[in-house]
Amino acid sequence: MKKLLYGIIMLSIMLTACSQKDNQSVKSQTTEPKQVEKETEDKYVSKEVKYYEIENPGRELMDIEKELLRYPGIYSGDQYDEEKVKEALDQLPDHLTKEQYMEELIYLLSEDYHKEMETLIHFDSSVNVDIERPDEAVNAPTLKTAHYAILIDASGSMKAPSGNKSRMEAAKAAVLEFAEQIPEHATISLRVYGHKGSGSNSDKKLSCSSSENFYNGNFDQSKFNEALNKVKPVGWTPIALALETVKEDIPENTEDVIVYVVSDGIETCDGDPAQAAKDLVSADIETVVNIIGFDVDNEGQKLLKEVASAGKGEFTYVNSERDLKRYLRAQYEEIQRNWLEWKEAGKSQAIEIKEEKKKLSIDTKESMKEKSIREKERMKLAQAHLKERFEDYNHPAANMFSMIVDYGDAKWRYAVDTGNQAWSESVDNGNQEWSNYVDEGNKKINETIDKKNKK
């Protein structure tokens, strides 16, 4: 009986032990999924990074440029709040690598550089000044398109002597020298009137109906001289007809016309040159009619003055080749003044554009430098907070200082190097454009002075 009782007790103890072991096994199985779940929660997920796009950069962007185009951190610029940054840092896991902690600092604190990057990547350091070359006597840096129309009297009286030449020879020489001074972009025409028939009454109708363009376009010395040589003094003096038909010589899109009528007498073909001059200047194109009277008597001078007055121009009396050249030399002086004004305007604009681009490059560089320094200092503060939090000298967050410095310095150096390059190129290009206007302006001025001094 005792043996039976002992057996029952032992069996009961064994069953109880087995039951406890089974319970522990079940308990272990139910807690294991919770540990897996906690590990999943602590797994680090990198932040999604977005970048601004530069339209048509013209080349492959460098890595530092791409980094500078990263969207700004949530606490960058004026959004910075040190306490909120610390709160965000306190939510980070304690097992990240220093690269992952750095990525978090960038996500929080990286500044916005995309506007400065737009400026630097698309920076145009060229300095181009575009001022029209002088083409007439107008006191303005930018001058209008001009046409010079020269009307030469081919009446028989132009055969008369003037010094050791005929009036016609003296007029041709003076006109040719004047034409040589016409600005490159201006046009010039040569119209002859009264050049057909003869001075006889029987040929009056023919001569009085003759007005012909011998040359039109930009000045070409050989061709212009060839046209001049065709002019022969033979007929009557249809000044009115010449003023009426000169409209045919004016190119399209011409803004100003300066007409020079060279004659040794008055209208002899029953025309009304004063009315013709008045009609000419009342047209859409701004026109001035200047009359050069060559050895004209008193009555002729009076009548030619009326024509010049009607044409809003001036009458100049010359009785020799010297007088004619003196008059035309005064025209050279006006052209000389225009070239001087053109040069000074070009210099001024070149400096102005250069200074604008210098300022843009400096302002952009300084803005990026300021942001990179601010960003670096804020990251240093953030790293200091992480070091304090983990209190472990070997923790990854404690070994990020050089990474932060290198990251900030790379942005700073890019701003300095690229900004300085833009500044330097702007200076060089601005100085070159300034020199271009000085060189061309001085050349043209000296050429005009040389021509004037030959008179």
Side-chain angles (χ1 to χ4, degrees):
M1 183 69 179
K2 289 182 178 179
K3 290 181 178 180
L4 178 62
L5 180 62
Y6 177 79
I8 293 172
I9 292 171
M10 290 301 293
L11 178 62
S12 175
I13 292 171
M14 291 176 64
L15 288 173
T16 301
C18 288
S19 175
Q20 289 175 343
K21 183 176 181 182
D22 289 343
N23 288 338
Q24 289 176 351
S25 176
V26 171
K27 183 178 181 181
S28 175
Q29 290 175 3
T30 57
T31 58
E32 191 171 292
K34 291 183 179 180
Q35 292 175 351
V36 172
E37 181 180 347
K38 185 176 187 305
E39 289 176 2
T40 302
E41 289 176 355
D42 289 346
K43 185 176 180 180
Y44 177 73
V45 178
S46 298
K47 297 293 189 297
E48 180 183 1
V49 181
K50 294 182 179 180
Y51 298 91
Y52 291 104
E53 292 185 4
I54 299 293
E55 184 177 356
N56 299 323
R59 58 176 174 80
E60 181 69 25
L61 296 182
M62 297 184 292
D63 289 342
I64 183 61
E65 291 174 321
K66 294 175 182 178
E67 184 64 24
L68 283 160
L69 289 170
R70 178 195 284 257
Y71 271 40
I74 58 178
Y75 296 119
S76 64
D78 294 337
Q79 301 301 315
Y80 181 70
D81 186 316
E82 187 175 358
E83 294 305 317
K84 289 184 178 180
V85 171
K86 289 179 179 179
E87 290 176 9
L89 295 174
D90 290 341
Q91 301 302 314
L92 297 177
D94 59 3
H95 63 276
L96 302 185
T97 66
K98 65 179 181 179
E99 288 79 14
Q100 290 171 336
Y101 283 120
M102 183 67 191
E103 184 65 26
E104 289 295 327
L105 296 190
I106 295 173
Y107 172 75
L108 294 173
L109 300 169
S110 178
E111 291 288 331
D112 187 351
Y113 300 93
H114 86 277
K115 289 185 178 179
E116 290 90 342
M117 292 301 294
E118 285 273 6
T119 298
L120 291 180
I121 291 175
H122 287 143
F123 194 89
D124 179 9
S125 62
S126 61
V127 176
N128 298 311
V129 178
D130 185 15
I131 300 178
E132 293 183 32
R133 270 67 176 172
D135 49 20
E136 60 137 339
V138 175
N139 293 323
T142 301
L143 304 174
K144 298 179 180 179
T145 304
H147 177 76
Y148 293 81
I150 299 176
L151 312 181
I152 294 185
D153 180 2
S155 62
S157 58
M158 289 290 285
K159 296 177 184 177
S162 175
N164 59 354
K165 297 179 181 179
S166 69
R167 294 174 182 172
M168 179 59 77
E169 289 172 337
K172 286 182 179 181
V175 165
L176 176 61
E177 291 180 2
F178 174 73
E180 291 174 348
Q181 303 305 310
I182 297 301
E184 295 175 5
H185 298 281
T187 52
I188 185 170
S189 61
L190 177 66
R191 176 168 288 273
V192 183
Y193 57 96
H195 61 296
K196 293 184 179 180
S198 66
S200 65
N201 289 329
S202 60
D203 283 339
K204 179 177 180 180
K205 183 176 181 180
L206 173 62
S207 183
C208 287
S209 63
S210 61
S211 174
E212 184 177 354
N213 180 281
F214 277 20
Y215 185 92
N216 204 345
N218 294 105
F219 178 71
D220 181 298
Q221 185 175 17
S222 61
K223 292 180 179 180
F224 190 83
N225 192 45
E226 182 181 344
L228 269 178
N229 289 334
K230 295 179 183 179
V231 181
K232 307 297 180 184
V234 295
W236 295 65
T237 312
I239 297 176
L241 176 64
L243 290 171
E244 292 166 359
T245 54
V246 74
K247 297 175 185 178
E248 303 169 9
D249 306 337
I250 302 172
E252 292 184 5
N253 302 321
T254 299
E255 296 175 279
D256 284 355
V257 177
I258 301 92
V259 178
Y260 290 96
V261 179
V262 181
S263 178
D264 70 341
I266 62 174
E267 169 79 29
T268 60
C269 291
D270 305 320
D272 188 345
Q275 183 60 46
K278 185 176 181 180
D279 293 342
L280 185 60
V281 300
S282 65
D284 293 336
I285 302 174
E286 187 69 27
T287 304
V288 174
V289 179
N290 297 312
I291 308 293
I292 304 174
F294 206 107
D295 201 12
V296 185
D297 59 24
N298 290 336
E299 181 182 358
Q301 290 183 40
K302 180 181 178 181
L303 294 174
L304 291 178
K305 283 181 182 178
E306 293 176 1
V307 177
S309 178
K312 297 182 179 179
E314 61 180 11
F315 169 78
T316 299
Y317 169 76
V318 297
N319 61 5
S320 67
E321 181 182 8
R322 177 182 295 179
D323 291 339
L324 181 57
K325 289 185 176 182
R326 184 183 297 118
Y327 171 75
L328 294 179
R329 186 165 58 235
Q331 308 304 303
Y332 303 155
E333 291 176 352
E334 291 186 23
I335 296 173
Q336 176 185 334
R337 284 193 294 271
N338 289 334
W339 275 114
L340 178 60
E341 291 173 0
W342 177 86
K343 180 184 76 172
E344 294 303 319
K347 287 167 55 181
S348 176
Q349 287 193 25
I351 292 173
E352 181 180 347
I353 295 173
K354 179 183 73 173
E355 292 302 320
E356 288 176 356
K357 297 199 172 189
K358 283 171 56 181
K359 184 177 186 304
L360 177 61
S361 64
I362 291 173
D363 289 349
T364 304
K365 177 184 73 173
E366 293 302 320
S367 174
M368 292 184 71
K369 285 171 58 182
E370 180 183 344
K371 288 181 179 180
S372 68
I373 293 172
R374 181 171 64 221
E375 174 186 309
K376 181 171 66 174
E377 294 305 314
R378 289 173 177 177
M379 286 187 179
K380 287 180 182 179
L381 290 175
Q383 192 238 355
H385 178 75
L386 287 174
K387 285 177 64 177
E388 184 179 346
R389 170 188 165 186
F390 296 120
E391 298 181 350
D392 180 359
Y393 180 79
N394 292 319
H395 192 276
N399 297 298
M400 296 170 56
F401 187 83
S402 62
M403 185 180 293
I404 291 172
V405 172
D406 291 344
Y407 182 77
D409 288 351
K411 291 182 175 182
W412 188 91
R413 282 195 301 272
Y414 176 86
V416 172
D417 293 345
T418 309
N420 286 348
Q421 181 181 359
W423 184 91
S424 179
E425 290 176 356
S426 298
V427 171
D428 291 343
N429 292 334
N431 291 344
Q432 183 59 55
E433 189 71 350
W434 186 90
S435 296
N436 291 342
Y437 270 80
V438 170
D439 293 344
E440 184 176 355
N442 288 342
K443 178 184 175 183
K444 293 297 183 181
I445 290 169
N446 290 334
E447 287 177 358
T448 306
I449 291 174
D450 291 341
K451 293 293 184 180
K452 180 184 68 174
N453 291 337
K454 291 178 181 179
K455 298 296 171 277

